[in-house]
Amino acid sequence: MKSINENILVIVAHTDDEAIGLGGTLARHAKEGANIFGLSMTNGVDARVGSAAEDAKERRAAAQRAAKLIGLSWVDVDNFPDNRMDSVPILDVVRVIEKIKYSIKPVIIYTHSCADLNVDHRVVSQATLTAFRPQPGESWQEIRTFEIPSATDFGCRSVTNLFCPNLYINIEDTWATKAAALKEYQAEMRFAPHSRSLEGIENLAKLRGNQVGMRYAEAFEVIRKIVR
């Protein structure tokens, strides 16, 4: 994938999305020499009943442990309310992304699919496309959206549209790294046969691999690619 010294930005609604959605691909980018940066918009726990402060602390610690395994550096987290990002003016979200955009100058941007059922994912996806709208003087080359088990697969064509992958990346050599990162987020995982169980996520990686003649793969939808 020729990632040497490229800056790659991953924009997610919640820490754990990066590991669930594209942990294998990020680990592969890191092995190939890319600089990977992560931007998370919420702490992922505010919407829950219980000890949100303690849960948020553990979530941040898990995110750091998972990031170390994958090869990612978090540049910003926890700006907006969990599962309520539709209550925030989208311009506020765009401005956070643009600030990181100008400092990092990424070549490839990864973000959520607009087909996800989760409202935070859809807001982040829309804001990312706005922040990286094609204009003169831009340097980025590609925007890719990824799928999240229990969000993308829970959507519906008549409500959220569909995720239609057109890029598949072999993660056979980095599946073990992804699995290790997922285990750091044990509190966010579910038991099989839930699609967000370790077994379910491995099944999806095998399915995406089988679709293109590989053992394990992650699938993406290329939204825009520019050869400058």
Side-chain angles (χ1 to χ4, degrees), residues 9-227:
L9 178 60
V10 185
I11 305 170
V12 296
H14 322 95
T15 52
D16 84 348
D17 291 332
E18 81 293 344
I20 294 171
L22 66 161
T25 294
L26 296 180
R28 177 170 172 171
H29 277 306
K31 286 178 65 176
E32 294 173 353
N35 307 306
I36 306 169
F37 301 93
L39 170 60
S40 177
M41 294 299 182
T42 81
N43 65 16
V45 300
D46 277 349
R48 301 175 183 175
V49 176
S51 179
E54 189 62 32
D55 289 346
K57 181 180 178 180
E58 173 51 34
R59 184 72 166 262
R60 285 192 292 271
Q64 292 298 335
R65 294 193 300 268
K68 185 175 181 179
L69 290 167
I70 292 171
L72 174 147
S73 298
W74 291 109
V75 292
D76 204 358
V77 295
D78 303 356
N79 289 283
F80 300 104
D82 177 45
N83 272 299
R84 298 190 303 276
M85 287 193 67
D86 55 337
S87 68
V88 177
I90 194 161
L91 181 58
D92 292 354
V93 187
V94 171
R95 284 174 173 164
V96 169
I97 296 172
E98 285 182 332
K99 180 181 177 181
I100 302 301
K101 163 189 169 179
Y102 293 132
S103 64
I104 290 177
K105 297 180 174 59
V107 173
I108 299 173
I109 302 96
Y110 289 99
T111 194
H112 294 287
S113 170
C114 279
D116 286 8
L117 179 63
N118 186 289
V119 67
D120 290 351
H121 294 191
R122 296 200 304 274
V123 171
V124 169
S125 184
Q126 182 181 351
T128 299
L129 294 182
T130 302
F132 285 93
R133 56 199 180 277
Q135 303 179 93
E138 296 286 340
S139 59
W140 59 269
Q141 297 176 11
E142 193 165 344
I143 300 172
R144 302 171 178 176
T145 62
F146 55 85
E147 59 186 333
I148 293 285
S150 78
T152 317
D153 52 332
F154 286 6
C156 174
R157 181 175 63 182
S158 63
V159 178
T160 60
N161 214 326
L162 289 176
F163 174 73
C164 298
N166 52 18
L167 171 65
Y168 297 76
I169 296 178
N170 189 338
I171 63 164
E172 182 175 351
D173 291 342
T174 55
W175 164 254
T177 301
K178 172 169 179 160
L182 291 172
K183 289 176 182 177
E184 296 296 343
Y185 287 114
Q186 194 62 46
E188 311 309 318
M189 302 298 287
R190 299 293 180 264
F191 295 107
H194 198 287
S195 62
R196 190 151 43 99
S197 63
L198 182 60
E199 179 182 336
I201 294 170
E202 182 172 10
N203 287 341
L204 178 61
K206 288 180 177 180
L207 171 64
R208 292 309 190 189
N210 292 165
Q211 289 173 337
V212 289
M214 296 184 289
R215 289 189 62 201
Y216 289 89
E218 287 171 338
F220 303 88
E221 187 169 1
V222 178
I223 301 301
R224 185 169 287 120
K225 183 177 178 68
I226 302 175
V227 179

